[in-house]
Amino acid sequence: MPDDSNFRRRSVLRAIGGVSAVSLGVGTASARCKESTDAARLETLVPVPVDVTSTGRGYTITDATTITVEDATAEGVAEYLAEFLRAPTGYDLPIKTHQGRGGRDTISLQLSEPSSGDHEQGYRLRSNPSGLTIRANEPAGLFAGVQTLRQLLPPAIEHDTEQSTEWTVPGGHIRDYPRFDYRGAHLDVARHFFDVETVKQFIDYLAQYKVNHLHLHLTDDQGWRIEIDSWPNLTDEGADSEVGGGPSGYYTKEEYAELIEYAQRRYVTIIPEIDLPGHTGAALESYAELNCDGTKREEDTGTNVGDTTLCIDKDVTYEFVDDVIREVAEMTPGPYIHIGGDEAHVVSDSEYNTFMDRVVPIVQKYGKRPIGWHQILDAEPPSETIAQYWYTGHDAPDVAEAAQNGHDLIASPASHAYMDMKYNEDTELGLDWAGLTSVKDAYDWDPGSFLNGVDESAIMGPETALWSETLETLEDIEFMFFPHFPPVAELGWSPAAKTDEWDEFEHRLAAQASRWEIQGVNYYQTPQVPWP
Ligand code: TNX
């Protein structure tokens, strides 16, 4: 239950100590004041880095700044950074190739040989008056460093038109790497359809908080959202409905490729989900032969779950699944395909097992690693199968046993990671079947130890889920996602020892709001957070 009533409003200045005490107006005092305002940004990063050292004066980006890379490997990140900085600063920020550190007035992006103890997604960032360096083992690490750099700049950097301000990065060193390699966010585009632009915006939000997997729930009872050439009715007939019956749609193969590419540029891997054998109303509405009774199902615009299934006993079911998985595998460069497996309430246990025994190998045959909601473990699939835990309890002996037997898990407990749970009783959007999830609840758990009897080494990482029964627009998505999401993003990235103090986190979270305001994010101003 949320605990908004106990909330006490505290100034974010507490977290950025000392700033308010410095007198303004006098030359040096004002410079010192600015320096400490800049330095405060080292202390409001989300996710909080592994190590941060403040060293006084930092680097100011000017008209003279160039971005340097040592070779083409870092160019993609350099271009992303330049594109991001050019509009608000109005500077040219040319990208140049240069061996080693770029020298004065450069933002230098360096890829180095991994040194011992360095994580492959980690980075180091240094800022001093002569320049700024981000060093990493992999481009993904550079990209994470760039997201940190973004938060080290004044919030005005989030504008897409030219601003006049001093673009100072506080002086300091940061050493940083993720706790979990896998940090995910799920988006339900089936209950309500979201167009390509909306999903791109969502991907940008993930990247901003260092989340590197987007799980797209592409099919459900209410709509089929991905073009499949060999079964064209799926989108000709199965894509024109959604919850409430409003306007809907699907991604053509070209649009899906566009999303993949957009995500790749941001080091986000897309995981497509084709939910099987339940949650298949849209397919059953498109093809009579997939139904056991041979007649097409009626269009579904409601929110019931669990009352649909492909016909387990028919061969055509497996021809259908094979074609769909083959085409989805062909258009997905990432290593995973999610095959759902949840809430198949109208099949018997033995039918469920029969189905998964045939379908899991299809995913493997097309070179992908299967993921399922944790019910998939009931069918005892091969240990390569990843299970996504979504119940609320800490005790799940079957899941714990599977983890001990080699299954990897994704942690999405609905009581903490379901972004569609209402913040409190008054939240107009969202659901409450798993209880209310305040922003504090979203932070108050440990993905590594949530499940009793499961060792942290079996946890790939946390994943948020955003189901869209009640969400129709980008504004709706933003309302449930902000500020529910950054807490879970931090739990995925930051060291456990740095993520157990809500009193400290709430100030860093509050400091993000000035960026969201400029970005135009429709966030919920929960009274639990001391917004500035
Ligand atoms: C449960 S989580 C579901 C979804 C609903 C969601 C709403 C899961 C695997 N199944 O079908 O959309 O709750 O919160």
Side-chain angles (χ1 to χ4, degrees), residues 191 279 342-343 373 390 418 420-421 431 433 467 469:
R191 270 49 177 277
H279 289 276
D342 57 317
E343 299 173 323
W373 299 103
W390 63 279
Y418 269 36
D420 60 316
M421 291 302 119
L431 305 173
W433 67 263
W467 298 96
E469 284 93 335

Side-chain angles (χ1 to χ4, degrees), residues 203 213-216 256 259-260 263 268-272 332 334 336:
I203 292 169
H213 290 82
L214 169 62
H215 165 183
L216 280 179
Y256 184 76
L259 286 176
I260 297 270
V268 171
T269 299
I270 290 189
I271 300 171
T332 303
Y336 311 111

Side-chain angles (χ1 to χ4, degrees), residues 157-480:
I157 203 68
E158 299 297 335
H159 281 283
D160 50 18
T161 53
E162 192 172 329
Q163 307 295 306
S164 102
T165 189
E166 230 179 90
W167 303 108
T168 302
V169 182
H173 318 157
I174 293 179
R175 185 173 68 98
D176 200 13
Y177 52 85
R179 175 178 175 195
F180 296 102
D181 289 352
Y182 182 103
R183 301 167 306 280
H186 147 292
L187 178 65
D188 174 6
V189 297
R191 270 49 177 277
H192 280 100
F193 179 68
F194 300 105
D195 65 13
V196 169
E197 288 314 308
T198 302
V199 178
K200 284 183 177 173
Q201 182 62 67
F202 192 74
I203 292 169
D204 279 326
Y205 293 145
L206 307 196
Q208 186 172 352
Y209 290 101
K210 300 186 172 75
V211 163
N212 62 356
H213 290 82
L214 169 62
H215 165 183
L216 280 179
H217 184 76
L218 288 168
T219 66
D220 214 302
D221 294 331
Q222 299 83 352
W224 187 281
R225 308 299 180 201
I226 182 73
E227 183 174 32
I228 301 292
D229 295 330
S230 51
W231 295 76
N233 291 359
L234 290 171
T235 46
D236 286 351
E237 296 178 29
D240 62 0
S241 56
E242 62 181 3
V243 170
S248 47
Y250 66 93
Y251 309 117
T252 62
K253 288 198 162 172
E254 293 70 30
E255 287 170 327
Y256 184 76
E258 195 181 323
L259 286 176
I260 297 270
E261 202 213 312
Y262 193 85
Q264 277 175 334
R265 278 204 75 196
R266 286 151 185 80
Y267 297 89
V268 171
T269 299
I270 290 189
I271 300 171
E273 178 185 352
I274 306 296
D275 202 347
L276 302 167
H279 289 276
T280 40
L284 300 169
E285 172 202 329
S286 308
Y287 286 98
E289 63 265 42
L290 298 177
N291 294 267
C292 281
D293 67 3
T295 49
K296 284 184 176 177
R297 188 172 182 268
E298 300 267 292
E299 180 174 291
D300 187 346
T301 58
T303 56
N304 276 353
V305 294
D307 54 353
T308 57
T309 184
L310 298 176
C311 192
I312 307 293
D313 296 336
K314 285 186 170 180
D315 284 340
V316 66
T317 291
Y318 304 95
E319 289 159 26
F320 167 78
V321 172
D322 193 289
D323 285 335
V324 169
I325 300 293
R326 173 174 46 75
E327 291 196 36
V328 170
E330 274 164 12
M331 54 179 139
T332 303
Y336 311 111
I337 291 184
H338 200 303
I339 50 171
D342 57 317
E343 299 173 323
H345 297 159
V346 290
V347 297
S348 67
D349 291 353
S350 90
E351 285 175 319
Y352 186 84
N353 296 349
T354 303
F355 181 83
M356 287 302 174
D357 285 350
R358 291 185 69 170
V359 166
V360 169
I362 295 175
V363 177
Q364 296 174 304
K365 176 175 80 175
Y366 291 116
K368 300 297 179 187
R369 195 166 165 200
I371 309 180
W373 299 103
H374 70 260
Q375 281 79 5
I376 201 169
L377 296 172
D378 296 345
E380 299 187 2
S383 64
E384 198 201 17
T385 310
I386 298 160
Q388 182 166 11
Y389 183 73
W390 63 279
Y391 280 6
T392 57
H394 296 275
D395 282 312
D398 295 349
V399 177
E401 193 189 320
Q404 285 150 17
N405 292 332
H407 287 275
D408 286 334
L409 305 180
I410 294 169
S412 303
S415 40
H416 301 276
Y418 269 36
M419 309 275 99
D420 60 316
M421 291 302 119
K422 292 174 183 289
Y423 293 96
N424 54 49
E425 279 136 18
D426 300 329
T427 311
E428 281 175 19
L429 298 170
L431 305 173
D432 60 6
W433 67 263
L436 301 168
T437 301
S438 71
V439 61
K440 191 165 183 284
D441 295 327
Y443 194 61
D444 191 14
W445 64 293
D446 175 9
S449 65
F450 185 82
L451 275 175
N452 293 331
V454 175
D455 191 75
E456 176 165 336
S457 60
I459 304 292
M460 290 173 59
E463 180 169 300
T464 56
L466 187 53
W467 298 96
S468 64
E469 284 93 335
T470 64
L471 312 178
E472 298 181 36
T473 61
L474 176 62
E475 288 68 36
D476 293 349
I477 289 178
E478 289 173 346
F479 191 80
M480 296 313 288

Side-chain angles (χ1 to χ4, degrees), residues 66 71 128 501 522:
T66 58
D71 61 46
N128 62 44
E501 289 288 344
N522 179 37

